[in-house]
Amino acid sequence: MGRLVYVRSSRAWHFQDPPTYRDWKRYVFYARRVRTLTHRDRDGDSHDGPKALSPDIISQLNQFAQFDSALLLPNLKSIHWGTSERGRANTLQVGDVTPFLSPSVKEIHIKTTFDMTEHEAIRIVQNLSLVPDLQLSKFSLTTVSPTEPNTQLIQPFSNFLAQQRRIAHLAFPPIYPMERSLFTETVGHLEYLTALHITLPVSYFSDCAGSGL
């Protein structure tokens, strides 16, 4: 795969030439070795190059994978997915993590330098819920805007966590307004949970106290 990929810009990796089926079979051989996937577009650190994949790479590999009924990274354990700009044309967006998901993945960490909208967060959580036999030990999704009511996220997030019985480390997306029922519906059944991180503005502590949290 290495001979096919080059840096066309400072932001993402692209294919130099369209991959052939022979190239795909070579990719499959090396893909089995990959345990950690880090996707991060450039976010201001000029000496650190991009770790982002362009959409055309995943689209073309995914076509081969579907043809062979194969996984892109069959032994992948951990995904660290970040992006610094919403709607950037030449890099994958947060929701595009889906093609890499499989039952082998145990950790997913999603972070953006902008606040995701409620709709964007719901899309991610719903996509994760559709992955058969996905059982995570660590999950973080923290960059959701807490400045507007986003209670529609509660039910999809609750449904997702209801499937994740073995999560030990959870970074909770900001959900406003915060209520006691939110915890009982989402984290109360996680018997393996040992670490819980919730990001909230200081101004919400009084609201939490008033609701009995």
Side-chain angles (χ1 to χ4, degrees):
M1 182 177 173
R3 75 176 182 85
L4 290 173
V5 181
Y6 78 115
V7 178
R8 189 176 70 184
S9 70
S10 62
R11 289 182 171 177
W13 292 88
H14 298 258
F15 280 131
Q16 184 172 10
D17 299 302
T20 65
Y21 188 73
R22 183 178 179 180
D23 294 323
W24 160 252
K25 301 307 285 187
R26 184 184 299 112
Y27 163 86
V28 169
F29 175 80
Y30 290 103
R32 297 190 186 101
R33 304 181 182 183
V34 178
R35 299 294 187 270
T36 300
L37 172 65
T38 299
H39 175 277
R40 185 185 71 244
D41 58 26
R42 190 170 175 175
D43 54 4
D45 192 350
S46 59
H47 67 272
D48 187 12
K51 295 182 179 180
L53 301 172
S54 66
D56 64 288
I57 284 184
I58 303 306
S59 175
Q60 293 182 65
L61 288 178
N62 216 16
Q63 290 179 19
F64 285 117
Q66 292 175 1
F67 181 80
D68 277 358
S69 298
L71 297 171
L72 287 182
L73 298 172
N75 297 316
L76 188 66
K77 301 297 183 185
S78 177
I79 297 176
H80 299 261
W81 196 270
T83 185
S84 59
E85 291 184 19
R86 178 184 285 114
R88 181 175 284 175
N90 68 334
T91 58
L92 290 164
Q93 298 304 301
V94 176
D96 295 319
V97 68
T98 307
F100 298 102
L101 297 176
S102 72
S104 68
V105 175
K106 300 304 177 186
E107 299 183 19
I108 298 178
H109 306 278
I110 299 174
K111 184 177 183 179
T112 63
T113 58
F114 57 86
D115 285 337
M116 280 187 285
T117 65
E118 182 178 37
H119 175 74
E120 290 169 330
I122 289 175
R123 177 191 170 199
I124 293 171
V125 172
Q126 289 178 335
N127 286 342
L128 293 176
S129 299
L130 295 176
V131 181
D133 302 320
L134 182 68
Q135 286 295 316
L136 301 176
S137 60
K138 295 182 180 181
F139 177 68
S140 61
L141 175 64
T142 57
T143 47
V144 180
S145 175
T147 59
E148 299 178 359
N150 56 5
T151 53
Q152 291 184 25
L153 180 57
I154 294 178
Q155 193 58 54
F157 195 70
S158 298
N159 294 341
F160 168 64
L161 288 184
Q163 303 171 353
Q164 303 302 312
R165 298 289 181 175
R166 305 192 69 85
I167 283 187
H169 296 258
L170 175 64
F172 212 81
I175 295 180
Y176 173 72
M178 182 65 71
E179 299 176 358
R180 181 186 295 273
S181 60
L182 176 63
F183 290 94
T184 59
E185 293 175 3
T186 54
V187 302
H189 65 278
L190 299 177
E191 58 182 299
Y192 294 94
L193 189 66
T194 58
L196 175 63
H197 175 77
I198 304 174
T199 303
L200 286 174
V202 174
S203 59
Y204 292 161
F205 283 110
S206 58
D207 295 339
C208 292
S211 64
L213 286 174

